[in-house]
Amino acid sequence: NKTCVPLRTSTPPYPSPPLYLPILALMNQPPRYRKRHSPCRAVVVAILIWGSIAAVAQINTENMLYMGRSAIAAEDYLTAIRYFNQIIEVKPHLYQPFYYRAYAKFALEDFQGAEADCNQALAINPFAKDVRPLRGICRIRLANYAGAADDYTWCLANAPDDANFRYNRALCR
């Protein structure tokens, strides 16, 4: 004969002892001091922080390049040069800021500075197609006709149907 055990119908006002006692045991412990982490962790944290800064720098460089080009479009050449100078300080391996700064200097009739910036842009990327026509015009204005003819000859090798390149090279001879 099996006897039936009645079920409990009321719940206690506090949690059951197996859950309640470990909490009390943790509360009565002395405070723990932080363990010293290995230098490896510091290196990992430094790399993560540097990576996030580099990502922010990339976004800022792209924005600065856009703002500089917008300043050129608004014919505010000095402001554009300031933007491009800031980009060059952060990322001197890009040729675009040198090219756009050269364009702004050309508009301000600083032909020597514009030619120097074009030379720097071509030192970084010798295959940049936009830089050589600008350097050719700068050389024409500086009366360096042989150098300008070389630039326009290179331009004609890459775009043989361009009438402006032919005209400018003819001016140099």
Side-chain angles (χ1 to χ4, degrees), residues 16-151:
S16 63
L19 295 175
Y20 188 69
L21 290 176
I23 294 172
L24 282 178
L26 287 175
M27 290 174 61
N28 292 330
Q29 287 184 354
R32 293 184 185 182
Y33 295 100
R34 289 183 87 178
K35 292 192 293 187
R36 298 195 94 180
H37 298 289
S38 67
C40 183
R41 181 175 178 177
V43 170
V44 169
V45 169
I47 289 172
L48 290 174
I49 290 173
W50 183 79
S52 64
I53 291 172
V56 170
Q58 171 128 11
I59 293 170
N60 287 340
T61 348
E62 291 173 2
N63 287 341
M64 294 291 272
L65 194 63
Y66 175 77
M67 291 166 59
R69 288 191 341 240
S70 297
I72 287 176
E75 297 180 3
D76 190 3
Y77 301 113
L78 293 176
T79 303
I81 289 173
R82 284 188 206 111
Y83 284 127
F84 298 132
N85 286 340
Q86 290 175 4
I87 297 170
I88 290 169
E89 286 177 16
V90 175
K91 293 192 176 184
H93 60 277
L94 297 175
Y95 84 94
Q96 293 97 341
F98 287 103
Y99 166 69
Y100 289 120
R101 187 172 74 175
Y103 185 86
K105 287 181 179 181
F106 178 82
L108 293 172
E109 297 182 3
D110 178 15
F111 304 121
Q112 289 178 340
E115 183 184 8
D117 282 344
C118 287
N119 290 336
Q120 186 66 32
L122 287 171
I124 295 169
N125 184 1
F127 302 106
K129 293 183 179 181
D130 297 337
V131 180
R132 292 207 190 240
L134 180 59
R135 186 173 75 168
I137 291 176
C138 291
R139 287 180 171 178
I140 288 173
R141 294 290 180 104
L142 293 171
N144 180 0
Y145 299 115
D150 291 341
D151 284 335

